[in-house]
Amino acid sequence: MADQFDVIVIGGGPAGYHAAIRAAQLGLKAACVDAWTGADGKAALGGTCLNVGCIPSKALLDSSKQFWNLTQHFDAHGITTKDAAIDVKTMIGRKDKIVKQFTGGVAMLYKGNKIASFLGTGKLLKDRQVEITAPDGSKQTIAGTNVVIATGSAPIELPFAKFDGKYIVDNAGALAFDAVPKRLGVIGAGVIGLELGSVWRRLGAEVTILEALPDFLGAADADVAKVALKELNRQGLKIELGAKLSKAEIKKNEVHLTYTGKDGEKQLVVDKLMVAVGRRAYTDGLLGDGTGVKLDERDRVVVDEHCWTGAEGVWAVGDCVRGPMLAHKGFEEGIMVAELIAGKAGHVNLDTIPWVIYTEPEIAWVGQTEKQLKDAGIPYKTGSFPFAAIGRAVAMNEPAGMVKMIAHAETDRILGVHLVGANVSELVAECVVAMEFKGSSEDLARIVHAHPTLSEAVHEAALAVDKRAIHKMN
């Protein structure tokens, strides 16, 4: 007879491990099936986020930022340096150490919460049974009262630029270069392309980013995107919009690219090529016959607003379902589902999930853009404020960027906040809280913000909505 659990989670990434831990906290007998292994061949919980995503990329972003400041900005502080150099091996080693620390941390949390951990791929069978295929090919079956699918996502591979792990890589490959490439090509000016392109540019690579869409960061507010593009160009990132790749050939240790740009067909030769054109739900081989679970046209698991698949006791969360592919969205969905299974209330508001791009300056937003509101015919008013007028930002030598707040023209309820500048990944949280509590721009305008801080830009933007900002002309 198969081992029986209250909750079986398929996938140990952000959504999955949150679901498993919260279920265990609520007194449910929980198990997690995950196939990820580290360089040592041992289980490495945490999925893409901890292993080759959020955490390692931020480690490299921080290392490269330190080097960039050392070589480009320390002179403004009266600090002089000579012959600064980067040891890529040490930098990558630091990143790997951080990854191991956090994947090991999840394993310890599993142990502390008495979660059964199975190494292998999970396949959902009928009657909420899960077939586990171990790395050696052996199989076993466990059964659950509830099953939570959290299989995550995988990089999209272009048919004419297939990953070879050496010259043409995905995000994982770009996190593990053993030297700074002289010329790096990046396909896709999204979150991953911009972040990892920034890492290697700051370390000395010539970086060219080809983006097929005509607009830069179309999902962001146009005013913020404009400022961000200007600053990234200033750092030496070459970003070509409306550039559609058609061919990538490896010749004599180089990658020869053919793409169509605004002026017709063009050629580009690089030493390394990173393809970052998006991710797809990873549901390959997930479902057996008779599960009652359905996939949509993009191979995502079909769920309702509470992540229920419609099949008794089967739920799905994170990147493999609708909504933004963001780790923190997966966190909350995993917790929500565990609480619903335990008979408690649970809900995730997809309208107030913050987005962040960890470039320099950082880019963040929550809610709707001005264009979205205009297209929907919703009356609105806006207020903005530049970091160049914020004393703390100037003192930090990071004056680039702005905060833009959008409120309903009649009710003053905050509809969106868009930020570009230093540490805006942290500043956006205040805006999320305000929006979750149906706050108005007047609410944020009347809250005292410490001086001198970067958060004063949020305060001044809120004041500017009604044309009463203090430190700029209205």
Side-chain angles (χ1 to χ4, degrees), residues 54-262:
C54 318
I55 301 306
S57 65
K58 301 313 164 288
L60 295 191
L61 279 161
D62 189 69
S63 294
S64 64
K65 178 182 178 180
Q66 304 295 346
F67 185 72
W68 180 260
N69 285 339
L70 176 68
T71 57
Q72 304 293 324
H73 296 304
F74 276 10
D75 59 339
H77 298 279
I79 302 171
T80 59
T81 60
K82 184 179 180 182
D83 300 327
I86 182 75
D87 184 333
V88 173
K89 183 178 179 180
T90 299
M91 180 184 74
I92 297 297
R94 172 182 177 270
K95 178 262 296 182
D96 292 341
K97 184 178 179 180
I98 291 170
V99 168
K100 191 169 185 178
Q101 173 186 336
F102 278 89
T103 57
V106 176
M108 290 299 293
L109 288 170
Y110 271 30
K111 184 177 181 180
N113 285 285
K114 297 180 172 59
I115 298 166
S117 185
F118 295 88
L119 178 60
T121 57
K123 182 176 184 178
L124 179 66
L125 308 177
K126 64 180 180 179
D127 300 325
R128 298 178 301 284
Q129 294 189 81
V130 176
E131 179 185 79
I132 304 168
T133 302
D136 63 5
S138 62
K139 297 180 185 293
Q140 65 174 306
T141 301
I142 59 177
T145 306
N146 292 273
V147 175
V148 181
I149 299 169
T151 48
S153 61
I156 294 173
E157 187 174 39
L158 297 174
F160 43 82
K162 289 188 173 295
F163 305 131
D164 70 351
K166 183 177 181 181
Y167 297 105
I168 303 177
V169 301
D170 58 7
N171 59 294
L175 286 166
F177 290 152
D178 57 9
V180 179
K182 182 178 179 181
R183 300 163 299 179
L184 173 65
V186 178
I187 309 303
V191 176
I192 296 171
L194 291 175
E195 289 186 357
L196 293 182
S198 292
V199 166
W200 297 107
R201 171 67 198 112
R202 292 198 292 242
L203 297 178
E206 297 174 10
V207 179
T208 301
I209 301 177
L210 304 180
E211 170 56 55
L213 296 176
D215 298 316
F216 180 68
L217 285 182
D221 187 85
D223 289 338
V224 162
K226 182 179 179 180
V227 173
L229 180 59
K230 179 181 177 181
E231 291 302 320
L232 292 172
N233 284 337
R234 184 178 294 174
Q235 293 170 21
L237 279 175
K238 183 180 180 182
I239 301 172
E240 289 196 38
L241 302 174
K244 298 181 180 180
L245 182 70
S246 58
K247 186 186 296 184
E249 299 177 294
I250 300 170
K251 300 177 181 178
K252 296 181 180 179
N253 301 323
E254 296 176 328
V255 187
H256 293 247
L257 307 178
T258 302
Y259 65 98
T260 303
K262 296 177 180 178

Side-chain angles (χ1 to χ4, degrees), residues 232-307:
L232 292 172
N233 284 337
R234 184 178 294 174
Q235 293 170 21
L237 279 175
K238 183 180 180 182
I239 301 172
E240 289 196 38
L241 302 174
K244 298 181 180 180
L245 182 70
S246 58
K247 186 186 296 184
E249 299 177 294
I250 300 170
K251 300 177 181 178
K252 296 181 180 179
N253 301 323
E254 296 176 328
V255 187
H256 293 247
L257 307 178
T258 302
Y259 65 98
T260 303
K262 296 177 180 178
D263 303 319
E265 190 171 273
K266 295 183 177 182
Q267 308 291 325
L268 176 68
V269 179
V270 296
D271 301 295
K272 301 282 187 181
L273 177 69
M274 181 180 74
V275 179
V277 294
R279 299 180 65 84
R280 62 177 181 85
Y282 186 72
T283 53
D284 303 2
L286 171 66
L287 303 175
D289 296 331
T291 64
V293 177
K294 298 178 180 178
L295 302 180
D296 67 12
E297 70 282 354
R298 293 167 61 182
D299 289 332
R300 300 175 301 186
V301 180
V302 176
V303 294
D304 66 8
E305 68 273 17
H306 289 129
C307 291

